[in-house]
Amino acid sequence: MLFARYLAVRKRTEWICAPLKTEDYVVQPVDFVSPPKWHLGHTTWFFETFVAKPYISDYKEYDPNYNFVFNSYYETLGARVIRTDRGNLSRPSVEDIYTYRKYVDEAMASFLNQGVITDHDLRATIILGLNHEEQHQELLFTDLKYILGHNPLFPSYYQDREKVEIKQPAIPLDPFLTIGEGIYKIGYKDKGFSFDNELGLHKVFLGEYSINRNLVTNGEYLEFIQDGGYQNFRHWHAEGWDWVNTHKTKAPLYWHLIDGKWFNYTLDGLIEINEHEPVNHVNYYEAHAYAEWKGQRLPTEFEWEVAAPDLSFGKRWEWTESAYLPYPGFQRAEGAIGEYNGKFMINQMVLRGSSEVTSPEHSRITYRNFFNAHLNWQYTGIRLAI
């Protein structure tokens, strides 16, 4: 079972990269986007570093230099290429990295086929590695979109994929769901995999609130733009208003006003805005400003989690009004694995839900995504509360 899942996850990463040209693998337009070939190498490095080298007795490291090249942020594991320089890595080549993947996969396949793994820590590390690679699969999609979306030709990633027309969803008489005042349990409750930042089942008190069953659409957000939303400081946090003025922002990422019509870049190429589709690629500043303009607010992550079973989600990661902080009793694991989530619990906001490019099984109600307030290259949208 573990071997089959390992193969499936590893193959899906390469399937995502299948439409790419060699040149697409090496581009890094901004510091927060990594070249696709780096994702391929880094996810392989994770299994080599945390499984193959410590647990496979006769394993020979593929290339000692790869620890420096493909280590992401693990201080415990030594020096590494800084993130902003990943686009300068013309070597190792794309071909070399695929050879590296094959080398590690063959070693892992032989190891996993020896029998059932009974070592709890080893099994947990392998499962973490698979979930880690699935996170990078989503990052591959979002990084690829940024790379291709900033190519002056706006090329399509999907090539010949059939386009699906999104129609206006049925709007209930009352689009808001009301949740009564009470004490609610928050956190991961099941027996399967979860990240450490979901653990620590605890109770919170919530006052009565209402949350919209639907996400804010492009059409609704367009009203904010047309009403001067990006020109009125009253809707924005001071930091957000600085961001608007510094970047001369007038619309969400990938939106382009052409001959009086709004278009946006998608993985299908540059197309006219579909007003019924949930708005995409807005950062926390924009989400908060829209809520202020609307006279409403963003939900907290606890309000979101309690309401989630009765909401529609899965199209966009949804900004919440919650800072990314540890749950009660949070403890970091020992060693480098302990750097996975805990060290980032500062200056970040929590997002909940999932998106259309989220990997399978990563849309748990308790899943806590997190990003800096100014970032918008992920598939991020808005749900309002009152």
Side-chain angles (χ1 to χ4, degrees):
M1 179 69 75
L2 194 56
F3 172 62
R5 188 174 171 214
Y6 178 87
L7 287 182
V9 170
R10 299 286 285 170
K11 286 181 179 179
R12 185 173 187 270
T13 302
E14 296 184 10
W15 170 80
I16 293 169
C17 293
L20 303 183
K21 306 299 182 184
T22 302
E23 292 79 3
D24 296 326
Y25 282 90
V26 299
V27 182
Q28 185 181 27
V30 289
D31 61 351
F32 54 80
V33 165
S34 295
K37 76 171 191 177
W38 186 88
H39 288 289
L40 290 172
H42 169 69
T43 51
T44 304
W45 167 88
F46 188 99
F47 285 109
E48 181 177 62
T49 301
F50 293 109
V51 180
K53 288 167 66 175
Y55 289 102
I56 301 177
S57 58
D58 59 348
Y59 182 79
K60 182 179 179 181
E61 187 176 17
Y62 182 80
D63 186 330
N65 289 321
Y66 279 17
N67 187 70
F68 177 69
V69 173
F70 295 122
N71 181 2
S72 53
Y73 52 71
Y74 296 93
E75 300 287 349
T76 306
L77 298 175
R80 59 201 179 278
V81 173
I82 60 174
R83 183 171 185 170
T84 54
D85 280 353
R86 291 173 185 171
N88 294 331
L89 291 167
S90 59
R91 306 290 175 88
S93 68
V94 174
E95 182 181 15
D96 290 339
I97 293 172
Y98 272 108
T99 302
Y100 176 44
R101 285 181 69 87
K102 183 179 179 182
Y103 178 87
V104 173
D105 284 347
E106 287 177 351
M108 287 292 297
S110 177
F111 180 62
L112 293 173
N113 274 326
Q114 290 178 2
V116 177
I117 293 177
T118 57
D119 184 314
H120 177 270
D121 290 341
L122 170 58
R123 186 176 183 85
T125 300
I126 295 171
I127 292 173
L128 176 63
L130 295 172
N131 281 271
H132 165 260
E133 181 145 352
E134 287 171 328
Q135 288 182 311
H136 276 271
Q137 290 169 356
E138 181 164 10
L139 283 169
L140 263 171
F141 274 119
T142 52
D143 286 358
L144 280 169
K145 186 172 183 179
Y146 197 96
I147 290 168
L148 298 176
H150 286 79
N151 181 316
L153 298 177
F154 297 121
S156 169
Y157 161 82
Y158 281 126
Q159 307 283 333
D160 300 323
R161 192 191 73 160
E162 182 179 351
K163 295 178 176 61
V164 178
E165 180 68 20
I166 298 178
K167 299 180 179 179
Q168 175 67 44
I171 303 297
L173 292 178
D174 183 1
F176 279 89
L177 169 69
T178 298
I179 304 294
E181 177 183 293
I183 297 175
Y184 297 92
K185 288 184 178 180
I186 298 295
Y188 189 72
K189 310 172 182 65
D190 299 325
K191 295 181 179 179
F193 174 83
S194 69
F195 288 106
D196 55 3
N197 63 5
E198 302 171 61
L199 299 175
L201 192 63
H202 61 288
K203 295 178 180 179
V204 299
F205 172 80
L206 298 177
E208 181 177 290
Y209 66 98
S210 295
I211 186 168
N212 203 307
R213 291 182 170 91
N214 300 300
L215 298 177
V216 173
T217 65
N218 286 330
E220 291 170 323
Y221 198 85
L222 188 56
E223 294 175 8
F224 169 67
I225 296 174
Q226 292 171 338
D227 193 46
Y230 282 90
Q231 289 78 50
N232 191 337
F233 71 89
R234 290 177 176 83
H235 308 314
W236 300 81
H237 286 113
E239 191 174 290
W241 186 239
D242 288 343
W243 174 82
V244 168
N245 287 289
T246 298
H247 297 277
K248 310 299 181 188
T249 308
K250 298 180 180 179
L253 180 64
Y254 302 124
W255 282 40
H256 302 274
L257 188 60
I258 303 173
D259 296 331
K261 291 185 178 181
W262 282 103
F263 290 76
N264 68 325
Y265 178 77
T266 73
L267 291 176
D268 287 310
L270 190 66
I271 61 175
E272 193 170 345
I273 292 289
N274 184 328
E275 294 192 5
H276 306 314
E277 197 169 38
V279 69
N280 200 5
H281 299 294
V282 290
N283 62 23
Y284 168 78
Y285 299 144
E286 293 168 297
H288 172 83
Y290 177 86
E292 286 284 313
W293 172 78
K294 196 73 174 176
Q296 298 174 21
R297 63 179 178 86
L298 302 177
T300 67
E301 66 166 316
F302 303 138
E303 290 173 333
W304 190 97
E305 184 171 320
V306 169
D310 297 310
L311 301 176
S312 61
F313 69 97
K315 290 287 289 181
R316 305 285 183 264
W317 286 103
E318 304 170 27
W319 288 105
T320 73
E321 198 59 75
S322 295
Y324 180 49
L325 297 170
Y327 283 171
F330 175 81
Q331 292 183 332
R332 296 189 192 185
E334 295 295 326
I337 293 293
E339 298 185 52
Y340 200 88
N341 279 316
K343 65 192 286 183
F344 300 110
M345 291 177 173
I346 184 170
N347 297 332
Q348 314 235 29
M349 301 301 290
V350 174
L351 299 104
R352 292 302 195 101
S354 60
S355 83
E356 60 197 70
V357 295
T358 300
S359 294
E361 319 234 343
H362 280 247
S363 57
R364 294 183 298 278
I365 286 174
T366 58
Y367 195 110
R368 303 176 76 203
N369 206 344
F370 54 93
F371 284 105
N372 298 118
H374 69 282
L375 293 176
N376 54 7
W377 97 113
Q378 289 293 315
Y379 281 59
T380 47
I382 307 170
R383 187 187 300 275
L384 296 179
I386 53 178

